[in-house]
Amino acid sequence: MYKILLRQDLVPGIHLFKVAAPEVARKARAGQFVVIKIDEKGERIPLTLAGWDEKEGSVTIVFMEVGTTTRRLALLKAGDSIANFVGPLGMPSEVEKFGTIVCVAGGFAVAPIVPIARSLKGVGNKIISILGARSKDLLFWEDELRGVSDQLIVTTDDGSYARKGLVTEPLKELLEGDEKIDRVVAIGPSIMMKFSALTTAPFGVKTIVSLNPIMVDGTGMCGCCRVSVADETRFACVDGPEFDGHQVDWDSLFTRQRSYLEEEKRSLEQWQCQCGQHS
Ligand SMILES: Cc1cc2nc3c(=O)[nH]c(=O)nc-3n(C[C@H](O)[C@H](O)[C@H](O)COP(=O)(O)OP(=O)(O)OC[C@H]3O[C@@H](n4cnc5c(N)ncnc54)[C@H](O)[C@@H]3O)c2cc1C
Ligand code: FES
């Protein structure tokens, strides 16, 4: 069992857990993820590492409530335990000196992008970060991202805080500007990653995205997480989750992500009925 050492409610529907998992913490690298199962009967879900502390033996995850498992997870408190916490899984982010890197984070993805930006800055890259959220009340970890960036631009879709608009607008301006941009790392909802890749394509700037297809085992055995990249089938759990965004077949990813919408809806309704929860 993996004990929750700390719980923080970051914004409505998005929570942080610090979990005692010394073996995961010892091997963790930026860009990797864990697969967790709340209890023996629970569903396995992947969550990206938002931080780790080898000395303390802890790993930090940040998750958004979207369906049955993430809502059940949100009911746990510090002191409770999670049955399975497997990782670190997936290929770590490529960390080399590239030059100037724009890190684009949409929504809860600010949490996984902070360790990536920190690692990239640690080897001498200049980091310009763009953090976007739908509105001010969904923004978190602005200071954490600022702390690992040379420059930070914040956007909200509704203009309730900082610059109004989508993350792709300042991204395009940076690409059009005087400074040479050597690489872009964009993490967030699939649609945001697709449009970030479409924005950078005409400029020929390599754009790394972190794909989030449905995963089951997370170790390359079930084939559930297959994605098409450069016309080849790749398994996001072992070949990724990071890929070149210009080579991803986004439409097939969107279709596969929606494969179980009916079952997911039924599962949530059943669970809400059983435990008297109503959305
Ligand atoms: C590598 C990777 C890293 C991720 N990191 C994070 C993270 O750090 N924080 C976070 O909030 N979310 C993360 N996700 C997404 C998270 O796994 C899903 O939100 C979660 O599985 C939803 O489960 P549910 O039962 O609450 O919702 P459901 O109602 O079951 O599903 C809601 C939607 O989530 C997706 N989903 C469902 N089951 C899975 C599954 N087993 N694997 C992947 N996606 C699924 C589907 O697109 C689905 O339509 C990550 C996904 C991947 C693949
Ligand atoms: S999740 Fe099973 S092969 Fe990737």
Side-chain angles (χ1 to χ4, degrees):
M1 297 294 274
Y2 297 83
K3 191 166 175 185
I4 300 166
L5 303 172
L6 170 80
R7 172 191 166 123
Q8 276 177 4
D9 299 320
L10 298 171
V11 293
I14 301 186
H15 315 278
L16 175 151
F17 283 176
K18 192 196 268 190
V19 179
E23 277 117 38
V24 182
R26 204 174 316 129
K27 294 194 175 156
R29 309 246 310 264
Q32 293 185 296
F33 63 94
V34 287
V35 168
I36 70 148
K37 211 164 85 165
I38 298 177
D39 53 34
E40 275 316 307
K41 288 192 177 160
E43 177 198 29
R44 302 162 64 96
I45 63 158
L47 297 171
T48 312
L49 305 179
W52 55 91
D53 183 332
E54 200 181 329
K55 245 184 170 167
E56 190 184 39
S58 67
V59 171
T60 301
I61 49 172
V62 169
F63 63 95
M64 182 161 73
E65 291 182 50
V66 292
T68 313
T69 303
T70 45
R71 288 193 197 197
R72 284 189 59 208
L73 198 59
L75 296 178
L76 301 182
K77 313 174 290 299
D80 291 339
S81 294
I82 297 170
N84 297 133
F85 196 87
V86 179
L89 299 170
M91 299 291 289
S93 302
E94 206 182 342
V95 178
E96 277 175 35
K97 182 147 186 206
F98 297 109
T100 299
I101 305 179
V102 180
C103 289
V104 189
F108 77 81
V110 60
I113 222 163
V114 163
I116 297 172
R118 183 183 294 119
S119 302
L120 288 167
K121 191 165 167 56
V123 295
N125 292 291
K126 177 176 177 184
I127 306 294
I128 303 175
S129 294
I130 305 174
L131 167 60
R134 282 205 313 274
S135 66
K136 184 180 180 207
D137 55 349
L138 293 173
L139 266 178
F140 63 94
W141 275 26
E142 181 183 342
D143 287 342
E144 279 81 349
L145 188 55
R146 184 173 287 108
V148 294
S149 307
D150 295 278
Q151 187 189 338
L152 174 68
I153 302 163
V154 182
T155 64
T156 49
D157 297 4
D158 63 1
S160 51
Y161 180 72
R163 178 175 168 165
K164 183 178 193 301
L166 303 174
V167 288
T168 44
E169 292 160 23
L171 175 60
K172 184 157 182 275
E173 288 165 14
L174 287 168
L175 293 160
E176 286 169 341
D178 295 334
E179 185 164 4
K180 182 172 173 280
I181 305 298
D182 297 289
R183 182 175 269 240
V184 171
V185 179
I187 308 187
S190 302
I191 194 75
M192 174 235 129
M193 294 192 283
K194 174 184 172 174
F195 279 96
S196 297
L198 285 175
T199 303
T200 58
F203 298 89
V205 176
K206 185 150 182 170
T207 299
I208 302 300
V209 295
S210 181
L211 299 186
N212 49 3
I214 291 176
M215 291 187 180
V216 179
D217 64 306
T219 57
M221 308 285 280
C222 68
C224 198
C225 66
R226 62 186 182 273
V227 289
S228 174
V229 181
D231 293 325
E232 275 182 37
T233 297
R234 311 291 300 274
F235 288 175
C237 67
V238 285
D239 300 324
E242 293 184 3
F243 293 99
D244 181 339
H246 296 153
Q247 300 188 335
V248 171
D249 179 344
W250 293 100
D251 291 339
S252 78
L253 176 71
F254 296 144
T255 306
R256 289 185 60 78
Q257 281 174 327
R258 287 193 296 263
S259 305
Y260 301 104
L261 279 186
E262 263 311 305
E263 288 83 352
E264 286 155 359
K265 192 167 158 253
R266 254 202 330 271
S267 152
L268 186 60
E269 282 166 3
Q270 257 173 26
W271 174 71
Q272 284 173 329
C273 260
Q274 275 164 17
C275 66
Q277 297 258 343
H278 298 285
S279 50

